[in-house]
Coordinates of all heavy atoms in Angstrom, one line a residue:
M1 N -3.4 11.1 7.2 CA -2.7 10.0 7.9 C -3.8 9.1 8.6 O -4.8 9.6 8.9 CB -1.8 10.6 8.9 CG -0.7 11.5 8.4 SD 0.3 10.6 7.1 CE 1.1 9.4 8.2
P2 N -3.4 7.8 8.7 CA -4.4 6.9 9.3 C -4.7 7.2 10.8 O -3.7 7.6 11.5 CB -3.7 5.5 9.1 CG -2.3 5.8 8.9 CD -2.2 7.2 8.3
V3 N -5.9 7.0 11.2 CA -6.3 7.2 12.6 C -6.7 5.9 13.1 O -7.6 5.2 12.5 CB -7.4 8.3 12.7 CG1 -7.9 8.4 14.1 CG2 -7.0 9.6 12.2
C4 N -6.2 5.5 14.2 CA -6.6 4.2 14.9 C -8.1 4.3 15.3 O -8.5 5.2 15.9 CB -5.7 4.0 16.1 SG -6.2 2.5 17.1
Q5 N -8.8 3.3 14.8 CA -10.2 3.3 15.1 C -10.5 2.8 16.6 O -11.7 2.9 17.0 CB -11.0 2.3 14.1 CG -10.9 2.7 12.7 CD -11.5 4.1 12.5 OE1 -12.6 4.4 12.7 NE2 -10.6 5.0 12.0
H6 N -9.5 2.3 17.2 CA -9.7 1.9 18.6 C -9.4 3.0 19.6 O -10.2 3.3 20.5 CB -8.8 0.7 18.9 CG -9.1 0.0 20.2 ND1 -8.3 0.2 21.3 CD2 -10.1 -0.8 20.6 CE1 -8.8 -0.4 22.4 NE2 -9.9 -1.0 21.9
C7 N -8.3 3.7 19.5 CA -7.9 4.7 20.5 C -8.0 6.1 19.9 O -7.9 7.1 20.6 CB -6.5 4.4 21.1 SG -5.2 4.6 19.8
G8 N -8.2 6.2 18.6 CA -8.3 7.6 18.0 C -7.0 8.3 17.8 O -7.1 9.5 17.3
E9 N -5.9 7.7 18.0 CA -4.6 8.4 17.8 C -4.2 8.3 16.3 O -4.5 7.3 15.6 CB -3.5 7.6 18.6 CG -3.5 7.8 20.1 CD -3.1 9.2 20.5 OE1 -2.3 9.9 19.8 OE2 -3.5 9.6 21.6
T10 N -3.6 9.4 15.9 CA -3.2 9.4 14.5 C -1.8 8.8 14.4 O -0.9 9.0 15.2 CB -3.1 10.9 14.0 OG1 -4.3 11.5 14.2 CG2 -2.7 10.9 12.5
W11 N -1.6 7.9 13.4 CA -0.3 7.2 13.2 C 0.7 8.2 12.6 O 0.3 8.9 11.7 CB -0.5 6.0 12.4 CG -1.2 4.8 13.1 CD1 -1.8 4.9 14.3 CD2 -1.3 3.5 12.7 NE1 -2.3 3.7 14.6 CE2 -2.0 2.8 13.6 CE3 -0.9 2.8 11.5 CZ2 -2.4 1.4 13.5 CZ3 -1.1 1.4 11.4 CH2 -1.9 0.8 12.4
S12 N 1.9 8.1 13.0 CA 2.9 8.9 12.3 C 3.2 8.3 10.9 O 2.9 7.2 10.6 CB 4.2 8.9 13.2 OG 4.8 7.6 13.1
Y13 N 3.8 9.2 10.1 CA 4.2 8.8 8.8 C 5.1 7.5 8.8 O 4.9 6.6 8.1 CB 4.8 9.9 8.0 CG 5.3 9.5 6.6 CD1 4.4 9.5 5.6 CD2 6.6 9.2 6.4 CE1 4.8 9.1 4.3 CE2 7.0 8.8 5.1 CZ 6.1 8.7 4.1 OH 6.5 8.3 2.8
K14 N 6.1 7.6 9.7 CA 7.1 6.5 9.7 C 6.4 5.2 10.1 O 6.7 4.2 9.6 CB 8.2 6.9 10.8 CG 9.5 6.3 10.5 CD 10.5 6.8 11.5 CE 10.9 5.7 12.4 NZ 11.6 6.1 13.6
E15 N 5.6 5.3 11.2 CA 4.9 4.1 11.6 C 4.0 3.5 10.5 O 4.0 2.3 10.3 CB 4.1 4.4 12.9 CG 3.2 3.3 13.4 CD 4.0 2.1 13.9 OE1 5.2 2.2 14.1 OE2 3.4 1.0 14.0
S16 N 3.3 4.4 9.8 CA 2.3 3.9 8.8 C 3.1 3.3 7.6 O 2.7 2.2 7.1 CB 1.5 5.1 8.2 OG 1.0 5.8 9.2
L17 N 4.3 3.9 7.3 CA 5.1 3.3 6.2 C 5.6 1.9 6.6 O 5.5 1.0 5.8 CB 6.2 4.3 5.9 CG 7.1 3.8 4.7 CD1 6.3 3.9 3.4 CD2 8.3 4.7 4.6
K18 N 6.0 1.8 7.8 CA 6.5 0.5 8.3 C 5.4 -0.6 8.2 O 5.6 -1.7 7.8 CB 6.9 0.7 9.8 CG 8.1 -0.2 10.2 CD 8.6 0.3 11.5 CE 7.7 -0.1 12.7 NZ 8.2 0.5 14.0
Q19 N 4.1 -0.2 8.5 CA 3.0 -1.1 8.5 C 2.7 -1.5 7.0 O 2.4 -2.6 6.7 CB 1.8 -0.5 9.2 CG 2.0 -0.1 10.6 CD 1.9 -1.3 11.6 OE1 1.7 -2.4 11.2 NE2 2.0 -1.0 12.9
V20 N 2.7 -0.4 6.2 CA 2.4 -0.7 4.7 C 3.4 -1.7 4.1 O 3.1 -2.5 3.4 CB 2.4 0.6 4.0 CG1 2.4 0.4 2.4 CG2 1.2 1.5 4.4
L21 N 4.7 -1.5 4.5 CA 5.8 -2.3 3.9 C 5.7 -3.8 4.3 O 6.3 -4.6 3.7 CB 7.1 -1.7 4.2 CG 7.4 -0.4 3.5 CD1 8.8 0.1 3.9 CD2 7.4 -0.5 2.0
K22 N 4.9 -4.1 5.4 CA 4.8 -5.5 5.8 C 3.9 -6.2 4.9 O 3.8 -7.4 4.9 CB 4.2 -5.5 7.2 CG 5.2 -5.2 8.3 CD 4.6 -5.3 9.7 CE 5.4 -4.8 10.8 NZ 4.6 -4.5 12.0
L23 N 3.1 -5.4 4.0 CA 2.2 -6.0 3.1 C 1.1 -6.9 3.7 O 0.7 -7.9 3.1 CB 2.9 -6.8 2.0 CG 3.9 -5.9 1.1 CD1 4.6 -6.8 0.1 CD2 3.1 -4.8 0.4
R24 N 0.8 -6.6 4.9 CA -0.3 -7.4 5.5 C -1.4 -6.5 5.9 O -1.2 -5.3 6.2 CB 0.2 -8.1 6.8 CG 1.2 -9.1 6.6 CD 1.1 -10.2 7.6 NE 2.3 -11.1 7.5 CZ 3.2 -11.1 8.5 NH1 3.0 -10.3 9.6 NH2 4.2 -11.8 8.4
R25 N -2.6 -7.0 5.9 CA -3.8 -6.2 6.3 C -3.8 -5.9 7.8 O -4.3 -4.9 8.2 CB -5.1 -6.8 5.8 CG -5.2 -6.8 4.3 CD -6.7 -7.2 3.9 NE -7.5 -6.1 4.2 CZ -8.9 -6.2 4.2 NH1 -9.4 -7.3 4.1 NH2 -9.6 -5.1 4.4
K26 N -3.4 -6.9 8.5 CA -3.4 -6.8 10.0 C -2.2 -6.0 10.5 O -1.1 -6.3 10.2 CB -3.4 -8.2 10.6 CG -3.9 -8.3 12.0 CD -4.3 -9.7 12.4 CE -3.2 -10.4 13.1 NZ -3.5 -11.7 13.5
M27 N -2.5 -4.9 11.2 CA -1.5 -4.1 11.7 C -1.7 -3.9 13.2 O -2.8 -4.1 13.7 CB -1.6 -2.7 11.0 CG -1.5 -2.8 9.5 SD -1.9 -1.3 8.7 CE -1.7 -1.7 7.0
T28 N -0.7 -3.5 13.9 CA -0.9 -3.3 15.3 C -0.6 -1.8 15.7 O 0.4 -1.2 15.2 CB 0.1 -4.1 16.2 OG1 0.0 -5.5 15.7 CG2 -0.1 -4.1 17.6
C29 N -1.5 -1.2 16.4 CA -1.4 0.2 16.7 C -0.3 0.4 17.7 O -0.3 -0.3 18.8 CB -2.7 0.7 17.2 SG -2.6 2.4 17.9
E30 N 0.6 1.3 17.5 CA 1.7 1.4 18.5 C 1.3 2.2 19.7 O 2.0 2.3 20.7 CB 2.9 2.1 17.8 CG 2.7 3.5 17.3 CD 4.0 4.2 16.9 OE1 5.0 3.6 17.0 OE2 3.9 5.4 16.4
H31 N 0.1 2.8 19.7 CA -0.4 3.6 20.8 C -1.1 2.7 21.8 O -0.9 2.8 23.0 CB -1.3 4.7 20.4 CG -0.6 5.7 19.4 ND1 0.3 6.6 19.8 CD2 -0.7 5.8 18.1 CE1 0.7 7.3 18.8 NE2 0.1 6.8 17.7
C32 N -2.0 1.8 21.3 CA -2.8 1.0 22.2 C -2.6 -0.5 22.0 O -3.2 -1.3 22.7 CB -4.3 1.3 22.0 SG -4.9 1.0 20.3
N33 N -1.7 -0.9 21.0 CA -1.4 -2.3 20.8 C -2.6 -3.1 20.3 O -2.6 -4.3 20.4 CB -0.8 -2.9 22.0 CG 0.7 -2.5 22.1 OD1 1.4 -2.4 21.1 ND2 1.1 -2.3 23.3
E34 N -3.7 -2.5 19.9 CA -4.8 -3.2 19.3 C -4.6 -3.5 17.9 O -3.9 -2.8 17.2 CB -6.1 -2.3 19.5 CG -6.7 -2.4 20.9 CD -7.2 -3.7 21.4 OE1 -7.7 -4.4 20.5 OE2 -7.0 -4.1 22.5
K35 N -5.2 -4.6 17.4 CA -5.1 -4.9 16.0 C -5.9 -3.9 15.2 O -7.1 -3.6 15.5 CB -5.7 -6.3 15.8 CG -5.0 -7.4 16.5 CD -3.9 -8.0 15.7 CE -3.1 -9.0 16.5 NZ -2.3 -8.5 17.7
Q36 N -5.4 -3.5 14.1 CA -6.1 -2.7 13.1 C -5.9 -3.3 11.7 O -4.9 -3.9 11.4 CB -5.5 -1.2 13.1 CG -5.8 -0.5 14.4 CD -7.3 -0.1 14.5 OE1 -7.8 0.7 13.7 NE2 -8.0 -0.6 15.4
Y37 N -6.9 -3.1 10.9 CA -6.8 -3.6 9.5 C -6.9 -2.5 8.5 O -7.6 -1.5 8.8 CB -8.0 -4.6 9.3 CG -8.0 -5.8 10.2 CD1 -8.6 -5.7 11.4 CD2 -7.3 -6.9 9.8 CE1 -8.6 -6.8 12.3 CE2 -7.2 -8.0 10.7 CZ -7.9 -7.9 11.9 OH -7.9 -9.0 12.8
S38 N -6.1 -2.6 7.5 CA -6.3 -1.6 6.4 C -7.7 -1.8 5.8 O -8.1 -2.9 5.6 CB -5.2 -1.7 5.4 OG -5.2 -2.9 4.8
S39 N -8.4 -0.7 5.6 CA -9.7 -0.8 5.1 C -9.7 -1.3 3.7 O -8.7 -1.3 3.0 CB -10.4 0.6 5.1 OG -9.9 1.4 4.1
Q40 N -10.8 -1.9 3.2 CA -10.9 -2.5 1.9 C -10.4 -1.6 0.8 O -9.6 -2.0 0.0 CB -12.4 -2.8 1.7 CG -12.7 -3.5 0.4 CD -14.2 -3.6 0.2 OE1 -14.9 -2.7 0.6 NE2 -14.6 -4.6 -0.5
R41 N -10.8 -0.3 0.9 CA -10.4 0.6 -0.2 C -8.9 0.8 -0.2 O -8.3 0.8 -1.2 CB -11.2 1.9 0.0 CG -11.0 2.9 -1.2 CD -11.6 4.2 -0.9 NE -11.0 4.8 0.3 CZ -9.9 5.6 0.2 NH1 -9.4 5.9 -1.0 NH2 -9.3 6.1 1.3
S42 N -8.4 1.1 1.0 CA -7.0 1.5 1.0 C -6.1 0.3 0.8 O -5.0 0.4 0.4 CB -6.6 2.2 2.3 OG -6.6 1.3 3.4
Y43 N -6.6 -0.9 1.1 CA -5.8 -2.1 0.7 C -5.7 -2.3 -0.8 O -4.6 -2.5 -1.2 CB -6.6 -3.4 1.3 CG -5.8 -4.7 1.0 CD1 -4.7 -5.0 1.8 CD2 -6.1 -5.5 0.0 CE1 -3.9 -6.1 1.6 CE2 -5.4 -6.7 -0.2 CZ -4.3 -7.0 0.5 OH -3.6 -8.1 0.3
W44 N -6.7 -2.1 -1.5 CA -6.6 -2.2 -2.9 C -5.7 -1.0 -3.5 O -4.9 -1.3 -4.3 CB -8.0 -2.0 -3.6 CG -8.9 -3.3 -3.5 CD1 -10.0 -3.4 -2.7 CD2 -8.6 -4.5 -4.0 NE1 -10.5 -4.7 -2.8 CE2 -9.6 -5.4 -3.6 CE3 -7.6 -5.0 -4.9 CZ2 -9.7 -6.7 -4.0 CZ3 -7.7 -6.4 -5.3 CH2 -8.7 -7.2 -4.8
V45 N -5.9 0.2 -2.9 CA -5.1 1.3 -3.4 C -3.7 1.1 -3.1 O -2.8 1.3 -4.0 CB -5.6 2.6 -2.6 CG1 -4.6 3.7 -2.9 CG2 -7.0 3.0 -3.2
S46 N -3.3 0.6 -1.9 CA -1.9 0.6 -1.5 C -1.2 -0.7 -2.0 O 0.0 -0.6 -2.2 CB -1.8 0.7 0.0 OG -2.4 -0.4 0.6
Q47 N -1.9 -1.8 -2.0 CA -1.1 -3.0 -2.2 C -1.4 -3.8 -3.5 O -0.7 -4.7 -3.8 CB -1.3 -3.9 -1.0 CG -0.7 -3.2 0.2 CD -1.0 -4.0 1.5 OE1 -1.5 -5.1 1.5 NE2 -0.7 -3.4 2.6
M48 N -2.4 -3.4 -4.2 CA -2.7 -4.1 -5.4 C -2.3 -3.3 -6.7 O -2.7 -3.7 -7.8 CB -4.3 -4.4 -5.5 CG -4.7 -5.3 -4.4 SD -4.0 -7.0 -4.8 CE -4.2 -7.8 -3.2
V49 N -1.5 -2.3 -6.5 CA -1.1 -1.5 -7.6 C 0.3 -1.9 -8.2 O 0.5 -2.0 -9.4 CB -1.1 0.0 -7.3 CG1 -0.3 0.8 -8.3 CG2 -2.5 0.5 -7.2
A50 N 1.2 -2.3 -7.3 CA 2.5 -2.6 -7.7 C 2.6 -3.7 -8.7 O 3.3 -3.6 -9.8 CB 3.4 -3.0 -6.5
L51 N 1.9 -4.8 -8.5 CA 2.1 -6.0 -9.4 C 1.5 -5.7 -10.8 O 2.2 -5.9 -11.8 CB 1.4 -7.2 -8.8 CG 1.7 -8.5 -9.4 CD1 3.2 -8.8 -9.3 CD2 0.9 -9.6 -8.8
P52 N 0.2 -5.2 -10.9 CA -0.3 -4.8 -12.2 C 0.6 -3.8 -12.9 O 0.8 -3.9 -14.2 CB -1.6 -4.2 -12.0 CG -2.0 -4.7 -10.7 CD -0.8 -5.0 -9.9
A53 N 1.3 -2.9 -12.2 CA 2.2 -1.9 -12.8 C 3.3 -2.7 -13.6 O 3.6 -2.3 -14.7 CB 2.7 -1.0 -11.8
Y54 N 3.8 -3.7 -12.9 CA 4.9 -4.4 -13.6 C 4.4 -5.3 -14.7 O 5.0 -5.4 -15.8 CB 5.7 -5.3 -12.6 CG 6.7 -4.5 -11.8 CD1 6.4 -4.2 -10.5 CD2 7.9 -4.1 -12.4 CE1 7.3 -3.5 -9.7 CE2 8.8 -3.4 -11.6 CZ 8.5 -3.1 -10.3 OH 9.4 -2.4 -9.6
L55 N 3.2 -5.9 -14.5 CA 2.7 -6.8 -15.5 C 2.1 -6.1 -16.7 O 2.1 -6.7 -17.8 CB 1.6 -7.7 -14.8 CG 2.1 -8.7 -13.8 CD1 1.0 -9.5 -13.2 CD2 3.2 -9.6 -14.4
I56 N 1.6 -4.9 -16.5 CA 0.9 -4.3 -17.6 C 1.7 -3.2 -18.3 O 1.9 -3.1 -19.5 CB -0.5 -3.7 -17.2 CG1 -1.4 -4.8 -16.7 CG2 -1.1 -2.9 -18.3 CD1 -2.6 -4.4 -15.9
I57 N 2.3 -2.3 -17.4 CA 3.0 -1.2 -18.0 C 4.3 -1.5 -18.7 O 4.6 -1.0 -19.8 CB 3.3 -0.1 -16.9 CG1 1.9 0.4 -16.3 CG2 4.0 1.1 -17.5 CD1 2.0 1.3 -15.2
I58 N 5.0 -2.5 -18.2 CA 6.3 -2.9 -18.8 C 6.1 -3.5 -20.2 O 6.7 -3.0 -21.2 CB 7.2 -3.8 -17.9 CG1 7.6 -3.0 -16.7 CG2 8.4 -4.3 -18.7 CD1 8.4 -3.8 -15.7
P59 N 5.2 -4.5 -20.4 CA 4.9 -5.0 -21.7 C 4.3 -3.9 -22.7 O 4.7 -3.8 -23.8 CB 3.9 -6.1 -21.5 CG 4.0 -6.5 -20.1 CD 4.5 -5.2 -19.4
L60 N 3.5 -3.0 -22.1 CA 3.0 -1.9 -22.9 C 4.1 -1.0 -23.4 O 4.0 -0.6 -24.5 CB 2.0 -1.1 -22.0 CG 0.7 -0.5 -22.7 CD1 -0.1 -1.7 -23.2 CD2 0.0 0.3 -21.7
M61 N 5.0 -0.6 -22.5 CA 6.1 0.2 -22.9 C 6.9 -0.5 -24.0 O 7.4 0.1 -24.9 CB 7.0 0.6 -21.8 CG 6.4 1.6 -20.8 SD 7.4 1.8 -19.4 CE 8.8 2.8 -20.1
N62 N 7.1 -1.8 -23.8 CA 7.8 -2.6 -24.8 C 7.2 -2.5 -26.2 O 7.8 -2.3 -27.2 CB 7.8 -4.1 -24.3 CG 8.7 -4.9 -25.1 OD1 8.2 -5.4 -26.2 ND2 9.9 -5.1 -24.8
I63 N 5.8 -2.6 -26.2 CA 5.1 -2.5 -27.5 C 5.2 -1.1 -28.1 O 5.5 -0.9 -29.2 CB 3.7 -3.0 -27.3 CG1 3.6 -4.5 -26.9 CG2 2.9 -2.8 -28.6 CD1 2.3 -4.9 -26.3
I64 N 4.9 -0.1 -27.2 CA 4.7 1.2 -27.8 C 6.1 1.9 -28.1 O 6.3 2.5 -29.1 CB 3.9 2.1 -26.8 CG1 2.5 1.5 -26.6 CG2 3.8 3.5 -27.3 CD1 1.7 2.1 -25.5
F65 N 7.0 1.8 -27.1 CA 8.2 2.5 -27.3 C 9.4 1.6 -27.7 O 10.5 2.1 -27.9 CB 8.6 3.2 -26.0 CG 7.5 4.2 -25.5 CD1 6.8 3.9 -24.4 CD2 7.2 5.4 -26.2 CE1 5.8 4.8 -23.9 CE2 6.3 6.2 -25.8 CZ 5.5 5.9 -24.7
N66 N 9.1 0.3 -27.8 CA 10.1 -0.6 -28.2 C 11.3 -0.6 -27.3 O 12.4 -0.7 -27.7 CB 10.5 -0.4 -29.7 CG 11.3 -1.6 -30.2 OD1 11.1 -2.7 -29.8 ND2 12.2 -1.3 -31.2
V67 N 11.0 -0.5 -25.9 CA 12.1 -0.6 -25.0 C 12.1 -2.0 -24.3 O 11.1 -2.7 -24.2 CB 11.9 0.5 -23.9 CG1 12.1 1.9 -24.5 CG2 10.6 0.4 -23.1
G68 N 13.3 -2.4 -23.9 CA 13.4 -3.7 -23.3 C 12.9 -3.8 -21.9 O 12.5 -2.7 -21.3
F69 N 12.8 -5.0 -21.4 CA 12.2 -5.2 -20.0 C 13.0 -4.4 -19.0 O 12.4 -3.7 -18.1 CB 12.2 -6.7 -19.7 CG 11.8 -6.9 -18.3 CD1 10.4 -7.0 -18.0 CD2 12.7 -7.1 -17.3 CE1 9.9 -7.2 -16.7 CE2 12.2 -7.4 -16.0 CZ 10.9 -7.4 -15.7
L70 N 14.3 -4.4 -19.1 CA 15.2 -3.7 -18.1 C 14.9 -2.2 -18.1 O 14.8 -1.6 -17.0 CB 16.7 -4.0 -18.4 CG 17.6 -3.5 -17.3 CD1 17.4 -4.3 -16.0 CD2 19.1 -3.7 -17.8
V71 N 14.8 -1.6 -19.3 CA 14.5 -0.2 -19.4 C 13.2 0.1 -18.7 O 13.0 1.1 -17.9 CB 14.6 0.3 -20.8 CG1 14.2 1.8 -20.9 CG2 16.0 0.1 -21.4
G72 N 12.2 -0.7 -19.0 CA 10.8 -0.5 -18.5 C 10.9 -0.7 -17.0 O 10.3 0.2 -16.2
F73 N 11.6 -1.7 -16.5 CA 11.7 -1.9 -15.1 C 12.4 -0.7 -14.4 O 11.9 -0.2 -13.3 CB 12.6 -3.2 -14.9 CG 12.8 -3.6 -13.5 CD1 11.8 -4.3 -12.8 CD2 13.9 -3.3 -12.7 CE1 11.9 -4.7 -11.5 CE2 14.0 -3.6 -11.4 CZ 13.0 -4.4 -10.8
L74 N 13.5 -0.2 -15.0 CA 14.2 0.9 -14.4 C 13.4 2.2 -14.4 O 13.6 3.1 -13.6 CB 15.5 1.2 -15.1 CG 16.6 0.1 -14.9 CD1 17.8 0.3 -15.8 CD2 16.9 -0.1 -13.4
T75 N 12.5 2.3 -15.4 CA 11.6 3.5 -15.5 C 10.5 3.4 -14.4 O 10.2 4.5 -13.8 CB 11.0 3.6 -16.9 OG1 12.0 3.4 -17.8 CG2 10.3 5.0 -17.1
I76 N 10.0 2.3 -14.2 CA 8.8 2.1 -13.4 C 9.2 2.1 -11.9 O 8.4 2.6 -11.0 CB 8.0 0.9 -13.8 CG1 7.2 1.2 -15.0 CG2 7.1 0.4 -12.7 CD1 6.4 0.1 -15.5
T77 N 10.3 1.5 -11.6 CA 10.7 1.3 -10.2 C 10.7 2.7 -9.4 O 10.1 2.7 -8.3 CB 12.0 0.5 -10.1 OG1 11.8 -0.7 -10.7 CG2 12.4 0.3 -8.6
P78 N 11.3 3.7 -9.9 CA 11.3 5.0 -9.1 C 9.8 5.5 -8.9 O 9.5 6.0 -7.9 CB 12.0 6.0 -10.0 CG 12.8 5.1 -10.9 CD 12.1 3.9 -11.1
L79 N 9.0 5.3 -9.9 CA 7.6 5.7 -9.8 C 6.9 4.9 -8.7 O 6.1 5.4 -7.9 CB 6.8 5.5 -11.1 CG 7.2 6.4 -12.3 CD1 6.5 6.0 -13.5 CD2 6.9 7.8 -11.9
L80 N 7.2 3.6 -8.7 CA 6.6 2.7 -7.6 C 7.1 3.1 -6.2 O 6.4 3.1 -5.3 CB 6.9 1.2 -7.9 CG 6.0 0.6 -8.9 CD1 6.4 -0.9 -9.1 CD2 4.6 0.6 -8.4
I81 N 8.4 3.4 -6.2 CA 9.0 3.8 -4.9 C 8.2 5.1 -4.4 O 7.9 5.2 -3.3 CB 10.5 4.0 -5.0 CG1 11.2 2.7 -5.2 CG2 11.0 4.7 -3.7 CD1 12.6 2.7 -5.5
F82 N 8.1 6.0 -5.3 CA 7.3 7.3 -5.0 C 5.9 6.9 -4.5 O 5.4 7.5 -3.6 CB 7.3 8.2 -6.3 CG 6.5 9.4 -6.1 CD1 6.9 10.5 -5.3 CD2 5.2 9.5 -6.6 CE1 6.1 11.6 -5.1 CE2 4.4 10.6 -6.5 CZ 4.9 11.7 -5.7
Y83 N 5.3 6.0 -5.2 CA 4.0 5.6 -4.9 C 3.9 5.0 -3.5 O 3.0 5.3 -2.7 CB 3.4 4.6 -5.9 CG 2.0 4.3 -5.7 CD1 1.0 5.1 -6.2 CD2 1.6 3.1 -5.1 CE1 -0.3 4.8 -6.0 CE2 0.3 2.8 -4.8 CZ -0.7 3.7 -5.3 OH -2.0 3.4 -5.1
I84 N 4.9 4.1 -3.2 CA 4.9 3.5 -1.9 C 5.1 4.6 -0.8 O 4.5 4.5 0.3 CB 6.0 2.4 -1.8 CG1 5.6 1.2 -2.6 CG2 6.3 2.0 -0.4 CD1 6.7 0.2 -2.9
L85 N 5.9 5.6 -1.1 CA 6.1 6.6 -0.1 C 4.9 7.5 0.2 O 4.8 8.1 1.2 CB 7.3 7.5 -0.6 CG 8.6 6.9 -0.6 CD1 9.7 7.8 -1.1 CD2 9.0 6.4 0.8
I86 N 3.9 7.5 -0.8 CA 2.7 8.3 -0.5 C 1.6 7.4 0.1 O 0.6 8.0 0.6 CB 2.2 9.1 -1.7 CG1 1.8 8.2 -2.8 CG2 3.2 10.2 -2.1 CD1 1.0 8.9 -3.9
T87 N 1.7 6.1 -0.1 CA 0.6 5.3 0.4 C 0.2 5.4 1.9 O -0.9 5.3 2.3 CB 0.8 3.7 0.1 OG1 2.1 3.4 0.5 CG2 0.5 3.4 -1.3
P88 N 1.2 5.7 2.8 CA 0.8 5.9 4.2 C -0.2 7.0 4.4 O -1.0 7.0 5.2 CB 2.1 6.2 4.9 CG 3.2 5.6 4.1 CD 2.7 5.7 2.7
K89 N -0.1 8.0 3.5 CA -1.1 9.1 3.5 C -2.4 8.7 3.1 O -3.4 9.3 3.5 CB -0.6 10.3 2.7 CG 0.8 10.8 3.2 CD 1.0 12.2 2.6 CE 2.3 12.8 3.1 NZ 2.2 13.1 4.6
L90 N -2.5 7.6 2.3 CA -3.8 7.2 1.8 C -4.4 6.1 2.6 O -5.6 5.7 2.5 CB -3.7 6.6 0.4 CG -3.0 7.5 -0.7 CD1 -2.7 6.8 -2.0 CD2 -3.9 8.7 -0.9
L91 N -3.7 5.6 3.6 CA -4.1 4.4 4.4 C -5.2 4.8 5.3 O -5.2 5.9 6.0 CB -2.9 3.9 5.2 CG -3.1 2.7 6.2 CD1 -3.4 1.5 5.3 CD2 -1.9 2.5 7.0
T92 N -6.3 4.0 5.4 CA -7.3 4.2 6.4 C -7.5 2.9 7.1 O -7.3 1.8 6.6 CB -8.7 4.6 5.7 OG1 -9.0 3.7 4.7 CG2 -8.7 6.1 5.3
L93 N -7.9 3.0 8.4 CA -7.9 1.8 9.2 C -9.3 1.4 9.6 O -10.3 2.2 9.6 CB -7.1 2.1 10.5 CG -5.6 2.4 10.3 CD1 -5.0 2.9 11.6 CD2 -4.9 1.2 9.7
S94 N -9.4 0.1 10.0 CA -10.7 -0.4 10.4 C -10.5 -1.4 11.6 O -9.4 -2.0 11.7 CB -11.3 -1.2 9.2 OG -12.4 -2.0 9.6
N95 N -11.5 -1.5 12.5 CA -11.3 -2.4 13.6 C -11.5 -3.9 13.2 O -11.0 -4.8 13.9 CB -12.4 -2.1 14.7 CG -12.0 -0.9 15.5 OD1 -10.8 -0.7 15.8 ND2 -12.9 -0.2 16.0
K96 N -12.2 -4.1 12.1 CA -12.5 -5.4 11.7 C -11.9 -5.6 10.3 O -11.8 -4.7 9.5 CB -14.0 -5.7 11.6 CG -14.5 -6.1 13.0 CD -16.1 -6.4 12.9 CE -16.8 -5.1 12.9 NZ -18.3 -5.3 12.8
E97 N -11.6 -6.9 9.9 CA -11.1 -7.1 8.6 C -12.3 -7.1 7.7 O -13.2 -8.0 7.7 CB -10.4 -8.5 8.6 CG -9.7 -8.8 7.3 CD -8.7 -10.0 7.4 OE1 -8.8 -10.7 8.4 OE2 -7.9 -10.1 6.5
E98 N -12.4 -6.2 6.7 CA -13.5 -6.1 5.8 C -13.2 -7.1 4.6 O -12.0 -7.3 4.3 CB -13.5 -4.7 5.2 CG -13.8 -3.6 6.2 CD -13.6 -2.2 5.7 OE1 -13.3 -2.1 4.5 OE2 -13.8 -1.3 6.4
P99 N -14.2 -7.7 4.1 CA -14.0 -8.6 2.9 C -13.5 -7.8 1.8 O -13.8 -6.6 1.6 CB -15.4 -9.1 2.6 CG -16.4 -8.2 3.3 CD -15.6 -7.6 4.5
L100 N -12.6 -8.4 1.0 CA -11.9 -7.6 -0.1 C -12.9 -7.4 -1.3 O -12.7 -6.4 -2.0 CB -10.7 -8.4 -0.6 CG -9.5 -8.2 0.3 CD1 -8.3 -8.9 -0.3 CD2 -9.2 -6.7 0.6
C101 N -13.8 -8.3 -1.5 CA -14.8 -8.0 -2.5 C -16.1 -8.5 -2.1 O -16.2 -9.4 -1.2 CB -14.4 -8.7 -3.9 SG -13.4 -10.1 -3.7
R102 N -17.2 -7.9 -2.6 CA -18.5 -8.4 -2.2 C -19.4 -8.5 -3.4 O -19.0 -8.1 -4.4 CB -19.1 -7.5 -1.1 CG -18.8 -6.0 -1.4 CD -19.3 -5.1 -0.2 NE -18.2 -4.8 0.7 CZ -18.3 -4.1 1.8 NH1 -19.5 -3.7 2.1 NH2 -17.3 -3.7 2.5
Ligands
ZN201 ZN1 -4.7 2.6 18.8

């Protein structure tokens, strides 16, 4: 679970999920109210997966298994929901906003 880099408190699962679902890098610690940022690595891990999943996997399923967009969508969505539910556990925090690429 993410640990606030300012006050050292561990965020609860519920709080982390809430922050992840805002889809913003800037988060506020509920213990000390300081700004925290998702680290570069966890930002890519948590928020850059959903879109490619739809853009790549659905057409791929269409080609390989000859399934329509809707079937692909319905297959992937539960997987994505599962993925979103585990991202709070992968989240790591930083006091400063790290550049996304260097
Ligand atoms: Zn804090």
